[in-house]
Amino acid sequence: MTIADMVSVLHARVLCGEERLATPVYTACCSDLMSDVLAFVNEKTVLITGLTNHHVLRTADMLDLKCLVFARGKVPGEELLEQAQEQGLVVMTTRETAFTACGLLYQAGLRGVPIEWPENEAQK
């Protein structure tokens, strides 16, 4: 799936990074807790969130994410969009809830980030 495919699936509006819509993506994660994203995401991916603050950009930068999707029609401020453009991110907004956005992307073939649990944790 490409980021352009995601735009179509989510009926999204691209806010910055239009020149990178042909970038392929293989996994996505969804969270409003950036600590969870930092703890569980270990590969380049897409982040779906309802947060529009600078913590999201810092997290994206630390993990070298490719794309941010803001759910529920949220649009970050211009300063955040300018920084996202500098970081090389594609940023989009969709009117869908985060839950629905995840379902639509999953249905279209995008999968979640695989999480490796220690053996004793997997049995709980």
Side-chain angles (χ1 to χ4, degrees):
M1 175 178 289
T2 66
I3 294 174
D5 295 329
M6 290 178 51
V7 172
S8 178
V9 167
L10 296 174
H11 303 98
R13 180 169 54 101
V14 178
L15 303 172
C16 75
E18 295 87 357
E19 65 279 6
R20 292 179 289 281
L21 293 179
T23 303
V25 293
Y26 304 100
T27 59
C29 68
C30 178
S31 184
D32 286 346
L33 292 171
M34 294 304 105
S35 58
D36 279 357
V37 177
L38 289 168
F40 294 109
V41 174
N42 56 8
E43 58 187 68
K44 295 180 182 178
T45 189
V46 173
L47 173 59
I48 302 160
T49 186
L51 295 180
T52 59
N53 60 37
H54 283 85
H55 297 292
V56 174
L57 281 185
R58 285 189 206 112
T59 301
D61 189 41
M62 290 173 70
L63 296 173
D64 195 23
L65 300 181
K66 297 178 181 185
C67 179
L68 296 176
V69 178
F70 292 108
R72 302 184 310 275
K74 292 195 174 186
V75 176
E78 282 302 314
E79 183 181 326
L80 193 135
L81 289 174
E82 288 171 12
Q83 188 176 350
Q85 183 70 29
E86 289 174 16
Q87 286 180 216
L89 286 168
V90 177
V91 177
M92 67 180 84
T93 184
T94 179
R95 290 184 175 184
E96 304 293 349
T97 65
F99 180 82
T100 300
C102 291
L104 290 169
L105 291 171
Y106 189 90
Q107 187 176 33
L110 194 61
R111 295 299 180 246
V113 176
I115 297 174
E116 294 184 26
W117 296 97
E119 283 188 41
N120 58 347
E121 289 292 319
Q123 296 174 7
K124 289 184 179 179

